[in-house]
Every structure is written in C-alpha cells, then in structure tokens.
C-alpha cells in the first residue's frame, strides 16, 4: 500500500460539479436575500416553499426544482415562483444571479397584477390633507348624517 494517495488534495466527499446545494446558500447566491442568515430566517419563518410545502434550511436543491419565495413587508409582499436553472456557491453581481433562476409566466403575471392594484389603491388617496376649516366641515357633515 502506497503512503501517498493520488487524490490527496481532494477530500473524498467533494464533487467536481455541484449537483446539489443547500437552499439557504442558493437563495443567498441568487441574491434573493442579502445574507445567508436572512435566507435562513426566511426559510424558518415559512416564506420559502419547495413543491408546495415548507422546507428546512438544510434542504438541498437541484437544477429544475421549483421554489415559491415571498419577499418584502406586509404591505408590499411579493411572491415569486422560480425554477432553479443553475447552481453556484459564489455570490456574483445581479446579472450573474439572474442566470441562476427563471421566473414562471404565471408568477410574472400575478406580480404585475398586484403591482397594478397597489398603484390603483394609491390613486384613491387625496393629494393633500384637509386644512382646519375642511376638517371642521367634514366633522359637521358626519354629525348631521347620524
């Protein structure tokens, strides 16, 4: 038995091509979340689903998997359905991150619809607040209605 192993530079568990990757690391590399900690918190709070069900942080994704990702605040929540196109362990710029996934057509149309609804809801607001006289007139009108 030889004392020198031919592959002594490579650990036995390493793979030349990454076929699987942890979901928190992929979400970070695809720039859905700024840090892996934020990605982990999103997964644990149920904002990331795989095949329609919640996942754990250690879930491994492969090319072709479909993920549902909710991002944003409660008032501006967006939900994306993406398909994993590529895997990488390095976080690149935004154009490199867009190569890692593709958003489904249904998801794009749903997000456009909700964005339009948010714009229409903002149009219903007045441009400025009523002044003191207008507030008093409104209050008198409401009192007379009762």
């Amino acid at each position: 038995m030889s004392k020198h192993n031919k592959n002594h530079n490579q650990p036995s568990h390493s793979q030349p091509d990454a076929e699987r990757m942890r979901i928190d690391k992929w979400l970070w590399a695809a720039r859905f979340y700024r840090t892996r900690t934020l990605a982990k918190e999103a997964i644990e709070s149920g904002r990331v689903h795989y095949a329609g069900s919640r996942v754990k942080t250690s879930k491994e994704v492969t090319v072709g998997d479909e993920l549902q990702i909710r991002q944003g605040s409660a008032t501006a929540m967006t939900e994306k359905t993406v398909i994993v196109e590529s895997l990488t362990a390095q976080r690149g710029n935004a154009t490199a991150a867009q190569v890692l996934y593709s958003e489904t057509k249904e998801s794009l149309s749903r997000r456009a619809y909700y964005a339009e609804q948010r714009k229409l809801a903002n149009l219903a607001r007045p441009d400025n607040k009523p002044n003191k006289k207008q507030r008093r007139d409104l209050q008198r009108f409401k009192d007379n209605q009762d």
Side-chain angles (χ1 to χ4, degrees):
M1 198 184 282
S2 173
K3 168 165 119 172
H4 299 289
N5 187 357
K6 286 193 323 188
N7 297 325
H8 68 279
N9 289 335
Q10 295 180 350
S12 60
H13 64 278
S14 71
Q15 300 172 347
D17 291 330
E19 296 174 1
R20 299 181 153 275
M21 173 182 259
R22 284 177 58 109
I23 193 167
D24 61 335
K25 197 169 189 177
W26 185 83
L27 288 169
W28 167 77
R31 301 184 74 89
F32 285 104
Y33 299 100
R34 278 189 356 215
T35 63
R36 280 186 64 188
T37 303
L38 290 175
K40 177 182 176 237
E41 290 170 1
I43 293 167
E44 290 172 349
S45 64
R47 290 190 299 258
V48 177
H49 288 79
Y50 171 81
S53 61
R54 290 176 69 159
V55 295
K56 293 186 177 181
T57 310
S58 60
K59 171 72 177 159
E60 291 187 335
V61 294
T62 59
V63 174
D65 290 345
E66 186 173 305
L67 305 172
Q68 290 85 26
I69 304 164
R70 284 185 296 173
Q71 291 180 291
S73 63
T75 56
M77 182 73 68
T78 60
E79 184 171 341
K80 295 179 182 178
T81 303
V82 299
I83 298 173
V84 178
E85 298 289 338
S86 178
L87 302 175
T88 182
Q90 294 181 338
R91 182 178 167 106
N93 59 17
T95 55
Q98 288 176 342
V99 177
L100 299 179
Y101 65 92
S102 63
E103 191 170 358
T104 62
K105 291 180 182 178
E106 296 84 19
S107 175
L108 286 170
S109 63
R110 186 175 55 238
R111 284 194 316 122
Y113 171 76
Y114 285 126
E116 185 67 29
Q117 293 300 313
R118 281 194 301 272
K119 286 179 186 175
L120 291 175
N122 284 336
L123 291 177
R125 293 185 181 154
D127 291 336
N128 53 9
K129 295 197 296 188
N131 61 25
K132 192 171 186 176
K133 182 182 183 320
Q134 291 168 337
R135 284 195 307 270
R136 285 181 178 164
D137 291 342
L138 282 171
Q139 191 61 44
R140 271 192 223 110
F141 179 74
K142 286 180 184 178
D143 291 341
N144 289 336
Q145 294 295 331
D146 294 335

